[in-house]
C-alpha cells in the first residue's frame, strides 16, 4: 500500500513573491566563507616568496597546503549535526572566532613542524563551517533554487582569489609573509559580529523577512521533503549506507584532489610564466582565472536549476578541465598557457553549485546533515592528496608536468563516477527537480 503524501499549500505563483533572502542570507554567508577560504588560499600566494625561511622543499610546500585538510575532516559531521539539531548560526560564529585566532597565530611559527601544526589547527576549526552553512541554506531555499543559492554562496571561493590574491601579493611587497598571515586572521573576528546580528537559522526567526516570503519558503520546503524517498528507518547510518552517498564521496574526493592540486600551485605556475615577476604582478594575474571561474560557476548552476541535469552539470566541466590541464603541459607561450589556466579554473569551480544540490535532493532533512558532513570530510582528503602529489612529483621529476597529468587522471575518475555511478533509471535528482518545477 502506498503511503499518501501530504499536500502542502503550493507557493504563490505570483512573480511578486518577496525574495529578500537572496539579498540578506547569501551575501553575509558568502563574505564569511570568503574569509575562511582566504586563510587556505593565501598560503598558495605566499609559498613562492618564503625564500627558504623555513627551509621548505616543494614536497614540504605541498604538505603545508595539504595538512590543512587532514585537520578539516574532524568537525565535519559533529558541526553538521550541531547545525541541524542546535543552531547553524551559533555553530558558525563559534568556529569563526576560533579559526580567526588560529589564522593569526600561524604567522608566528618558527619551524617547519610548527607551521604544519598551525595549518592543521586552522583546518580543524574551519572544517565544520561548510556543512553548517549548507544546512542553513537548506532551511532558506527550496530545491528548485538550491543550486543557484549554493553557487552564489560558493562564489566566495573564486571571489576570494580574485580579491585576496592581489591583496596578498601587494602585502608581500610591503611586509613579511608572517605579517600577511597575522593580519589576514583579523577579518573573521570582525565579521563574526556581523554574522551574529544578520543571520537567522530559519525564516520564522528572521526579523527582516515578510510573512509572505516566510510562508512561501516553508511551503516549498515542505513540498520538497514530502517528495523525497525515506532512507530505511530514517537513521543516519541508513542514510550514509546508501549507494548514492558513497558514490558522491568518491566523486568529491577525486574532484577535490584535482581542484586543490591545481589551486595551490597556480600562483607558482604564473610566477614561472612571468619569469619570476613581482608578488604584486603574480597576485594580479592569479586573479584572472578565478574571475572567469566565478562567471562560469554561476552560469552552470543556473542551467542546472533550470534543467535539473545535475550529473551533466558536474561531469561536463570536469571533462573540459581534464583537456585544459593536459593541453597546458603541451603548449608553449605565456598567453596560450594563461588562457588554458583560465579554462581549467572555470572547469574545476563550475560543478560546485549542482554537486551540493544533489544530497539535499536525495535525502530528507533529518539525515542530510550527517551525509553532507561525511561527503565533505572524506572528499576533502583530496585537498591533502592533490597539493602533496604535485609537490612530491615536481621534486622527483624536476617538472610540474607529471603532477598535473596525475591530477587529470583524478578528475577523470570523478567524471566516471558521477556519470556511471549515479545512473539509476529515472534519476532521482532529475525527477525531484521536475516535481519542484511542476509545483512552482
Amino acid at each position: 500500500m502506498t503511503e499518501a503524501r501530504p499536500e502542502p499549500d503550493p507557493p504563490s505563483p505570483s512573480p511578486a513573491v518577496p525574495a529578500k533572502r537572496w539579498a540578506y542570507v547569501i551575501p553575509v554567508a558568502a563574505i564569511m566563507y570568503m574569509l575562511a577560504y582566504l586563510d587556505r588560499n593565501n598560503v598558495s600566494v605566499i609559498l613562492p616568496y618564503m625564500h627558504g625561511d623555513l627551509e621548505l622543499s616543494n614536497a614540504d610546500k605541498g604538505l603545508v597546503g595539504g595538512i590543512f585538510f587532514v585537520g578539516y575532516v574532524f568537525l565535519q559531521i559533529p558541526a553538521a549535526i550541531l547545525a541541524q539539531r542546535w543552531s547553524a548560526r551559533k555553530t558558525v560564529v563559534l568556529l569563526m572566532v576560533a579559526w580567526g585566532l588560529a589564522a593569526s597565530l600561524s604567522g608566528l611559527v618558527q619551524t617547519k613542524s610548527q607551521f604544519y601544526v598551525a595549518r592543521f589547527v586552522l583546518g580543524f576549526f574551519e572544517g565544520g563551517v561548510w556543512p553548517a552553512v549548507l544546512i542553513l541554506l537548506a532551511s532558506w531555499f527550496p530545491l528548485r533554487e538550491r543550486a543557484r543559492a549554493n553557487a552564489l554562496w560558493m562564489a566566495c571561493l573564486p571571489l576570494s582569489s580574485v580579491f585576496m590574491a592581489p591583496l596578498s601579493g601587494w602585502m608581500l611587497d610591503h611586509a613579511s609573509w608572517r605579517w600577511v598571515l597575522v593580519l589576514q586572521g583579523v577579518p573573521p573576528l570582525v565579521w563574526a559580529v556581523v554574522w551574529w546580528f544578520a543571520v537567522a537559522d530559519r525564516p520564522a526567526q528572521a526579523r527582516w523577512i515578510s510573512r509572505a516570503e516566510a510562508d512561501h519558503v516553508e511551503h516549498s520546503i515542505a513540498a520538497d521533503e514530502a517528495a523525497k524517498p525515506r532512507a530505511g528507518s530514517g537513521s543516519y547510518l541508513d542514510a550514509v549506507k546508501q549507494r548514492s552517498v558513497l558514490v558522491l564521496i568518491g566523486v568529491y574526493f577525486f574532484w577535490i584532489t584535482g581542484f586543490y592540486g591545481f589551486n595551490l600551485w597556480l600562483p607558482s605556475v604564473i610566477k614561472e610564466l612571468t619569469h619570476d615577476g613581482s608578488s604584486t604582478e603574480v597576485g594580479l594575474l592569479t586573479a584572472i582565472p578565478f574571475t572567469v571561474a566565478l562567471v562560469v560557476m554561476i552560469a552552470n548552476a543556473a542551467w542546472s536549476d533550470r534543467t535539473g541535469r545535475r550529473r551533466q552539470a558536474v561531469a561536463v566541466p570536469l571533462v573540459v578541465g581534464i583537456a585544459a590541464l593536459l593541453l597546458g603541459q603541451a603548449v608553449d607561450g605565456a598567453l596560450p598557457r594563461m588562457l588554458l589556466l583560465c579554462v581549467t579554473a572555470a572547469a574545476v569551480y563550475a560543478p560546485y553549485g549542482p554537486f551540493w544540490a544533489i544530497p539535499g535532493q536525495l535525502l530528507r532533512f533529518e539525515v542530510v546533515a550527517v551525509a553532507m558532513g561525511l561527503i565533505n570530510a572524506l572528499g576533502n582528503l583530496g585537498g591533502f592528496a592533490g597539493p602533496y602529489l604535485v609537490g612530491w612529483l615536481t621534486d622527483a621529476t624536476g617538472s610540474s608536468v607529471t603532477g598535473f597529468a596525475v591530477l587529470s587522471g583524478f578528475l577523470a575518475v570523478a567524471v566516471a563516477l558521477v556519470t556511471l555511478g549515479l545512473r539509476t533509471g529515472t534519476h532521482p535528482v532529475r525527477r525531484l527537480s521536475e516535481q519542484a518545477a511542476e509545483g512552482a
Side-chain angles (χ1 to χ4, degrees):
M1 182 175 178
T2 303
E3 182 182 353
R5 287 176 177 166
E7 295 290 342
D9 295 335
S12 169
S14 168
V17 170
K20 280 190 175 181
R21 62 192 181 280
W22 294 94
Y24 278 74
V25 178
I26 295 293
V28 175
I31 292 173
M32 177 276 297
Y33 208 77
M34 185 187 301
L35 299 176
Y37 197 69
L38 162 67
D39 295 323
R40 75 187 72 169
N41 190 60
N42 63 0
V43 74
S44 66
V45 178
I46 289 169
L47 284 174
Y49 295 94
M50 291 181 69
H51 303 303
D53 283 8
L54 300 181
E55 299 181 352
L56 298 176
S57 67
N58 284 318
D60 292 333
K61 291 176 182 178
L63 187 56
V64 166
I67 200 169
F68 172 96
F69 293 97
V70 178
Y72 197 79
V73 169
F74 290 92
L75 289 185
Q76 292 284 320
I77 293 175
I81 295 173
L82 272 178
Q84 181 200 21
R85 294 188 174 182
W86 179 47
S87 165
R89 170 176 168 259
K90 294 175 182 177
T91 300
V92 170
V93 82
L94 289 175
L95 292 172
M96 206 182 310
V97 171
W99 104 57
L101 294 174
S104 290
L105 289 174
S106 67
L108 305 180
V109 299
Q110 299 298 318
T111 67
K112 182 167 58 178
S113 297
Q114 290 175 1
F115 203 14
Y116 293 155
V117 172
R119 295 289 298 170
F120 175 91
V121 172
L122 180 60
F124 180 86
F125 287 123
E126 282 189 23
V129 177
W130 184 272
V133 176
L134 285 171
I135 295 300
L136 180 77
L137 296 182
S139 299
W140 280 94
F141 297 93
L143 285 177
R144 63 179 174 272
E145 300 174 345
R146 194 72 54 79
R148 281 168 291 163
N150 287 347
L152 286 171
W153 166 50
M154 295 171 191
C156 62
L157 305 185
L159 268 177
S160 176
S161 298
V162 169
F163 293 128
M164 301 307 180
L167 177 61
S168 294
W170 178 83
M171 290 176 71
L172 281 169
D173 278 341
H174 295 84
S176 72
W177 63 268
R178 295 181 183 280
W179 272 109
V180 174
L181 293 178
V182 169
L183 293 176
Q184 290 184 353
V186 174
L189 303 177
V190 176
W191 199 252
V193 179
V194 177
W195 173 273
W196 180 257
F197 288 103
V199 172
D201 282 306
R202 52 188 59 87
Q205 298 173 347
R207 297 178 181 178
W208 46 263
I209 195 172
S210 69
R211 186 69 257 171
E213 184 172 1
D215 288 343
H216 169 77
V217 173
E218 289 168 4
H219 287 314
S220 297
I221 292 176
D224 291 339
E225 291 299 305
K228 294 178 187 177
R230 292 191 178 275
S233 65
S235 70
Y236 289 148
L237 184 59
D238 282 333
V240 300
K241 286 194 301 185
Q242 288 193 61
R243 178 175 177 273
S244 57
V245 174
L246 299 177
V247 170
L248 288 170
I249 291 171
V251 172
Y252 201 52
F253 173 81
F254 286 101
W255 164 31
I256 290 300
T257 299
F259 176 89
Y260 277 113
F262 169 79
N263 262 21
L264 182 76
W265 291 101
L266 176 61
S268 296
V269 173
I270 290 178
K271 184 184 179 186
E272 178 188 334
L273 293 181
T274 61
H275 304 290
D276 291 327
S278 70
S279 55
T280 299
E281 181 183 5
V282 171
L284 287 170
L285 289 174
T286 298
I288 296 174
F290 295 113
T291 303
V292 177
L294 172 64
V295 175
V296 174
M297 182 179 175
I298 294 173
N300 188 50
W303 179 83
S304 172
D305 271 347
R306 188 173 67 252
T307 64
R309 297 181 183 274
R310 305 296 197 207
R311 288 185 303 128
Q312 292 88 335
V314 174
V316 172
L318 293 183
V319 171
V320 174
I322 292 167
L325 264 179
L326 293 176
L327 281 173
Q329 310 311 308
V331 302
D332 292 320
L335 182 58
R337 292 186 68 186
M338 187 67 184
L339 289 174
L340 287 169
L341 289 175
C342 290
V343 173
T344 305
V348 297
Y349 274 95
Y352 262 109
F355 179 86
W356 284 109
I358 294 174
Q361 291 179 310
L362 293 176
L363 301 170
R364 298 176 68 84
F365 185 78
E366 60 266 21
V367 295
V368 74
V370 72
M372 289 196 295
L374 188 64
I375 292 166
N376 201 40
L378 298 182
N380 264 295
L381 288 175
F384 172 82
Y388 184 72
L389 270 175
V390 175
W392 179 76
L393 288 169
T394 299
D395 278 342
T397 64
S399 168
S400 62
V401 172
T402 306
F404 282 104
V406 170
L407 295 184
S408 299
F410 276 84
L411 293 178
V413 176
V415 171
L417 285 173
V418 78
T419 303
L420 303 176
L422 292 178
R423 185 184 296 278
T424 56
T426 303
H427 196 273
V429 171
R430 182 78 184 277
R431 184 176 68 248
L432 285 168
S433 294
E434 291 169 350
Q435 290 172 350
E438 289 170 3

